[in-house]
Amino acid sequence: MWDPAKYLDFADLRGRPFFDLTARIGAREPRRVVDLGCGPGNLTAALAQRWPQAALEASDNSPEMVAAARQAGLDAQLLDVRDWTPKPDTDVVISNAVLQWVPEHRELLQRWVRELPAGAWIAIQVPGNFDAPSHALTRRLAASAGWADTLGAIGLRDEGAVDAPTEYAERLARLGCQVDAWETSYTQRLHGENAVLEWITGTALRPIKAALSAHDWQHFRTELAAMLDEAYPPRSDGTTWFEFRRIFVVARTPE
């Protein structure tokens, strides 16, 4: 279950990659703009402002996120990204921090290229930090003697969950796309106690929380908090530096 409020705790930092991604989309007057994985809709609203003439299509596979997006005024639909098919007038497709959850997303990208109209734009952003201490320590704790029996089967993502920018670029270029691919590491200054733990609670730790009882979840959090504080030591002013690598791809289908 996604918690929109927890996800929005770091709205500014989570939103920055979205704007870095969409700034590279060159579409001027798209007929339809699609946001796959719209979350609570706070970022999708910016697409309506940029392209007010376009039909705006928003979806997410989380009922909680869709409800929050609808409360924000979006006509969001409940939909798994794997089941999405572009309408004939789809000129822009955006998937921000979604495809890392979809093991077959590489095949999805190829299908979208084939199904979208000529000259359409595809823009994706995925985290590239699965080998960072925040995720490596989570996997280590989940695989430890006290937790492996309960958490061993949930399949936590590792660095193989996403590709390097060059790999995405080559895959899409082979299909005739024009491709702009890059990566950025954001040095983020987080505030408050257990800052890194709170960050990943809204994303990476969701499968673990879902697999544990409330009591065990609190126990797991306590153990992980100590490990994360050692890897990401809080500064004297109570803030914590948290480096976060992200991967971006903007492609245009063959004309």
Side-chain angles (χ1 to χ4, degrees):
M1 178 185 297
W2 282 94
D3 182 347
K6 173 60 68 175
Y7 188 81
L8 288 171
D9 279 348
F10 301 96
D12 288 345
L13 294 176
R14 295 196 195 280
R16 183 178 173 186
F18 175 88
F19 292 106
D20 288 349
L21 174 70
T22 56
R24 299 296 295 170
I25 301 173
R28 295 186 178 181
E29 296 183 351
R31 296 166 295 174
R32 176 176 298 272
V33 175
V34 179
D35 188 4
L36 298 173
C38 65
N42 58 308
L43 298 175
T44 313
L47 303 178
Q49 295 173 356
R50 177 175 174 181
W51 294 298
Q53 82 289 347
L56 184 59
E57 182 181 327
S59 62
D60 202 286
N61 72 342
S62 162
E64 296 79 19
M65 289 295 196
V66 168
R70 289 175 177 172
Q71 287 181 345
L74 290 177
D75 183 21
Q77 303 300 312
L78 185 64
L79 180 71
D80 190 306
V81 67
R82 290 167 289 197
D83 298 327
W84 177 76
T85 300
K87 292 180 170 61
D89 62 346
T90 302
D91 291 327
V92 175
V93 181
I94 298 164
S95 176
N96 182 61
V98 173
L99 295 182
Q100 73 275 11
W101 296 101
V102 183
E104 63 270 38
H105 72 267
R106 300 159 184 88
E107 292 73 25
L108 270 187
L109 289 172
Q110 295 175 9
R111 176 167 69 79
W112 295 349
V113 170
R114 293 192 298 267
E115 295 177 347
L116 285 164
W121 296 80
I122 302 172
I124 70 166
Q125 181 269 124
V126 291
N129 66 330
F130 295 107
D131 59 350
S134 55
H135 288 63
L137 291 173
T138 298
R139 293 194 298 270
R140 182 191 304 174
L141 181 58
S144 65
W147 297 105
D149 288 346
T150 304
L151 300 175
I154 65 174
L156 294 177
R157 296 161 301 156
D158 57 22
E159 56 268 26
V162 299
D163 291 338
T166 303
E167 293 174 301
Y168 286 116
E170 178 59 29
R171 181 175 292 107
L172 292 168
R174 285 199 299 265
L175 297 174
C177 294
Q178 301 175 34
V179 188
D180 181 11
W182 72 99
E183 65 178 69
T184 299
S185 289
Y186 297 87
T187 301
Q188 303 177 151
R189 194 173 193 173
L190 306 184
H191 297 262
E193 187 178 3
N194 298 328
V196 175
L197 176 68
E198 294 301 328
W199 175 283
I200 63 175
T201 293
T203 53
L205 293 185
R206 291 191 314 106
I208 291 177
K209 183 178 181 180
L212 297 176
S213 67
H215 176 269
D216 286 346
W217 165 240
Q218 291 304 320
H219 184 193
F220 187 91
R221 275 177 54 91
T222 299
E223 289 191 43
L224 184 58
M227 299 167 69
L228 292 174
D229 278 350
E230 184 175 351
Y232 302 95
R235 303 173 71 249
S236 59
D237 64 358
T239 64
T240 303
W241 294 117
F242 180 43
E243 187 169 334
F244 201 119
R245 173 176 174 256
R246 294 184 182 271
I247 297 165
F248 302 80
V249 183
V250 176
R252 195 173 190 194
T253 61
E255 295 193 77

